[in-house]
Amino acid sequence: MGNTKERVGAAGVAVAGGIFRIVLYVCVVFLIFWIGKSTYQFGYDIFNQQAMSPGEGQEVTVVIKEDTSVYDIAKTLERKGLIKDALVFCVQEKLSNYSGQLRPGTYLLSTAYTPTRIMSILAGDTEQEGNNS
C-alpha cells in the first residue's frame, strides 16, 4: 500500500512540474512579445516624427538655461506638451544633425512643430518669432 501512495505522489509532482513548465513557457513567450512590441514602438516613434497638434497648434514659450542637459530640455518640452516622450527626443537628438548643438535661450515654439523642427530652432538653425537670447 505504501508503494501505491509513493507512485501517486510521484505522479502528482510530475503533473505539477509539467504545469509549472507550461506556465513558465507561456510567461516567457508573452514577455518576448511584449519586449518586441515595446522595442518596435520605440523605434517607430524615433523615426516617424509627428507634431503633437495638427494644423496651427498652440504656441508655448520655453526657457532653456545654460548647461542644461538634452534630457532636461526634453523633459521640459514634454511637460509643455511639445513632444510625446523625452527619451525618444533624446535619441532623435543624438541621431540628428543637431547633436550637441542645442543652445540656451528663450524660444517660442508650437505644438504643430515636429521634433526635428524644434531641434533646429533650439540649435539656432531656423529663423523663428520670439526672443532667442
Side-chain angles (χ1 to χ4, degrees):
M1 185 157 332
N3 200 8
T4 306
K5 284 185 180 180
E6 288 176 15
R7 278 191 256 162
V8 170
V13 169
V15 168
I19 291 172
F20 177 75
R21 272 195 214 125
I22 290 171
V23 170
L24 180 65
Y25 293 150
V26 168
C27 288
V28 168
V29 167
F30 278 118
L31 180 66
I32 289 170
F33 279 120
W34 180 79
I35 289 171
K37 180 182 172 247
S38 299
T39 304
Y40 173 81
Q41 188 62 50
F42 185 73
Y44 183 82
D45 289 344
I46 289 170
F47 295 107
N48 183 36
Q49 297 187 16
Q50 298 288 323
M52 291 297 285
S53 300
E56 290 191 29
Q58 180 180 356
E59 290 187 337
V60 178
T61 302
V62 176
V63 177
I64 306 296
K65 296 182 180 171
E66 194 75 37
D67 296 327
T68 303
S69 70
V70 173
Y71 185 72
D72 289 336
I73 292 170
K75 289 302 283 181
T76 300
L77 295 174
E78 183 180 28
R79 255 192 326 275
K80 299 266 186 169
L82 293 163
I83 60 171
K84 187 169 129 180
D85 187 340
L87 186 58
V88 169
F89 184 83
C90 290
V91 174
Q92 288 170 333
E93 188 268 343
K94 287 290 181 207
L95 296 174
S96 75
N97 294 331
Y98 305 108
S99 181
Q101 297 179 16
L102 306 185
R103 296 191 252 169
T106 301
Y107 300 93
L108 185 60
L109 303 172
S110 172
T111 57
Y113 293 170
T114 63
T116 298
R117 183 158 182 204
I118 291 172
M119 282 183 255
S120 71
I121 292 168
L122 296 180
D125 247 9
T126 301
E127 279 199 29
Q128 72 141 25
E129 301 170 19
N131 177 21
N132 286 352
S133 321

